[in-house]
Amino acid sequence: MKFLFLDQSGKLGGAELCLLDIVKPYANSCLVGLFADGDFRKLLETNHIPVEVLTTQGIKVNKQSGLFSALASLGQITPLIYRVVQLARKYDVIYANTQKALVVGAIASLFSRRPLVYHLHDILSLEHFSKTNLRVAMTLINNFASLVIANSQASKTAFIEAGGNPNIIEVVYNGFEADNYQVDEFEVIKIREELGINDKFVVGHFSRLSPWKGQHILIDALVKCPENVNVILVGDALFGEDEYVQELHQKVSALGLEKRVKFLGFRDDIPLLMSACNLVAHTSIAPEPFGRVIVEAMLCGKAVVAAKAGGAVELVEDGMNGFLVTPNNPQELAQVINNCVDEKVSILDIGFYGRLDASQRFNVNNINQQIQNLLKSFAINK
Ligand code: UPG
């Protein structure tokens, strides 16, 4: 079977990093079509995955867009749809990995008569999407997708609650190569020195800078922690959240935390930076669909404290392989951080168990096998 994978982003978000692992076994029988150029294209090329940037014109619709901009964007994407229809005829299945890829993929599936698989990386609810976008997504999925792969039970549940067809959806978690998260202890000492955090208790936050990822919650919690607790914020605004970045900087200055909070921007050495932390915080204020960072922290042997909602609840067992706190509650988050600083809980034990647990549950080979089995049985039933 030959696959045409579609993804709207040239940037490296969680959906793109997940797709990279999924496409590897299909390197000889697929094409990844992107709707923007960027680092994702380069990473696919480095991994010898056939990739083509299908348009250089940005699609000006986001998760909160209303009906007007959704309709206006249709004109914009007509040449792209035409190109995807042509391409799809050379492949057996269209696999859409993002919401804009779903829109284009659904229309292309209709004209090329190729089945559509949709990888759902989102919680389809009004907390994340405008009413229009939600309605468009549900209509397209229910009418065009033959299979939906949800990244967590939480994403599946939200899909069904939003009116999605329960007979077409299966849960498959993101997969990870555990060896990629083993870091030389010497490198860890070096990076802690470089960052000037040698003698600090370091809490790391690893996400694009975006209001719903809740970096501000960690900053608010930091005020309630002792001086030797420092924060590193790893990630950048990927999708135009520049105002939020400014707000974060202003907040850090207003609270006099400049020496205790470091903005490191987007980095490609996540395992090293995570290994340099004492604790990893995951502070999304809306339910996180899956939460790659949580699993990655576990694979680095680090305790993780995560907001208790969405997919995070499926990944973290409170007190066993991490901690769960009420979302949007800096006070509770500070309490957990302070317990870890005071060694009231053993973050080493939690990190040790987390690594063991995550390397078994999220093994990339097993996960890829699950996806391949789904795609195979789906092809047989077609
Ligand atoms: N990351 C970097 N460099 C940085 C910051 C982050 O490589 O500077 C990585 C990070 O290690 C992680 C990824 O970026 O692997 C971000 O993952 P996540 O926050 O989970 O992804 P989202 O971009 O929010 O993507 C969506 C869902 C998320 C789900 C993911 C995969 O929101 O819940 O885990 O898709 O299904």
Side-chain angles (χ1 to χ4, degrees):
M1 253 202 310
K2 289 168 73 186
F3 289 89
L4 176 61
F5 293 96
L6 298 176
D7 191 294
Q8 72 201 43
S9 182
K11 296 181 181 166
L12 288 172
E16 288 68 37
L17 292 167
C18 172
L19 183 65
L20 175 68
D21 283 322
I22 291 172
V23 298
K24 281 179 185 166
Y26 297 101
N28 295 324
S29 55
C30 81
L31 175 70
V32 181
L34 302 181
F35 303 172
D37 199 3
D39 288 344
F40 187 32
R41 192 246 317 141
K42 292 181 197 155
L43 190 59
L44 287 161
E45 283 173 355
T46 310
N47 283 277
H48 310 291
I49 311 289
V51 54
E52 191 178 320
V53 178
L54 303 176
T55 177
T56 46
Q57 205 187 10
I59 303 170
K60 294 182 191 70
V61 181
N62 61 37
K63 288 181 177 180
Q64 296 303 335
S65 293
L67 186 61
F68 181 72
S69 45
L71 288 175
S73 71
L74 274 180
Q76 239 181 19
I77 61 175
T78 308
L80 172 62
I81 291 172
Y82 182 72
R83 177 82 189 107
V84 174
V85 171
Q86 279 183 322
L87 272 176
R89 294 199 169 114
K90 299 185 201 157
Y91 294 85
D92 301 304
V93 177
I94 302 172
Y95 190 117
N97 194 52
T98 56
Q99 226 202 354
K100 287 172 197 167
L102 166 69
V103 176
V104 174
I107 302 171
S109 144
L110 177 71
F111 287 110
S112 64
R113 297 174 182 275
R114 295 296 185 274
L116 176 73
V117 174
Y118 180 47
H119 199 135
L120 176 62
H121 294 279
D122 296 303
I123 291 204
L124 290 169
S125 72
L126 291 173
E127 267 174 294
H128 286 275
F129 291 91
S130 70
K131 225 175 179 177
T132 308
N133 264 346
L134 197 57
R135 201 175 305 141
V136 169
M138 295 314 302
T139 307
L140 290 175
I141 299 171
N142 279 343
N143 287 290
F144 295 99
S146 308
L147 170 67
V148 179
I149 297 175
N151 61 355
S152 67
Q153 192 57 48
S155 296
K156 175 180 172 178
T157 303
F159 170 79
I160 295 169
E161 278 172 11
N165 176 356
N167 301 321
I168 57 169
I169 187 160
E170 298 287 345
V171 174
V172 182
Y173 289 139
N174 281 214
F176 298 81
E177 179 71 70
D179 287 350
N180 293 345
Y181 296 86
Q182 302 284 341
V183 176
D184 186 338
E185 198 50 41
F186 178 70
E187 296 296 323
V188 175
I189 295 169
K190 217 167 86 183
I191 189 90
R192 279 183 69 104
E193 262 168 26
E194 272 170 34
L195 294 172
I197 51 173
N198 233 346
D199 52 345
K200 309 292 183 199
F201 185 95
V202 181
V203 185
H205 195 293
F206 298 81
S207 277
R208 64 193 140 96
L209 302 181
S210 173
W212 78 272
K213 292 291 191 180
Q215 281 86 359
H216 58 284
I217 303 293
L218 179 56
I219 294 171
D220 284 336
L222 183 63
V223 182
K224 303 172 203 305
C225 299
E227 278 293 311
N228 72 322
V229 178
N230 276 18
V231 160
I232 58 170
L233 295 179
V234 183
D236 211 344
L238 290 191
F239 306 113
E241 299 99 339
D242 301 314
E243 219 175 276
Y244 181 62
V245 179
Q246 262 186 356
E247 280 168 29
L248 285 177
H249 281 280
Q250 280 161 4
K251 191 177 193 52
V252 167
S253 307
L255 294 170
L257 295 172
E258 292 98 330
K259 291 204 176 118
R260 296 174 61 196
V261 178
K262 292 191 168 51
F263 288 83
L264 302 189
F266 186 88
R267 302 277 298 229
D268 60 8
D269 52 354
I270 297 298
L272 176 62
L273 289 169
M274 277 187 179
S275 302
C277 294
N278 298 89
L279 183 68
V280 171
H282 195 273
T283 56
S284 304
I285 57 170
E288 183 70 42
F290 174 71
R292 290 179 61 85
V293 170
I294 297 171
V295 178
E296 291 171 325
M298 289 178 187
L299 290 171
C300 290
K302 295 294 156 182
V304 58
V305 48
K308 189 177 178 181
V313 179
E314 296 162 54
L315 310 180
V316 179
E317 202 182 329
D318 192 27
M320 291 298 287
N321 58 0
F323 307 100
L324 289 170
V325 289
T326 310
N328 221 338
N329 189 329
Q331 179 66 46
E332 219 179 288
L333 177 60
Q335 190 58 56
V336 170
I337 296 173
N338 290 338
N339 285 346
C340 295
V341 175
D342 296 343
E343 294 178 14
K344 286 192 182 130
V345 286
S346 166
I347 44 178
L348 292 182
D349 288 351
I350 289 199
F352 180 80
Y353 176 68
R355 175 179 268 164
L356 207 67
D357 178 42
S359 53
Q360 288 165 2
R361 284 170 74 200
F362 306 103
N363 176 297
V364 72
N365 296 327
N366 297 345
I367 298 283
N368 273 347
Q369 195 56 58
Q370 286 174 36
I371 294 205
Q372 284 170 37
N373 291 346
L374 277 176
L375 294 175
K376 257 187 226 152
S377 61
F378 148 83
I380 291 164
N381 296 331
K382 275 272 104 197

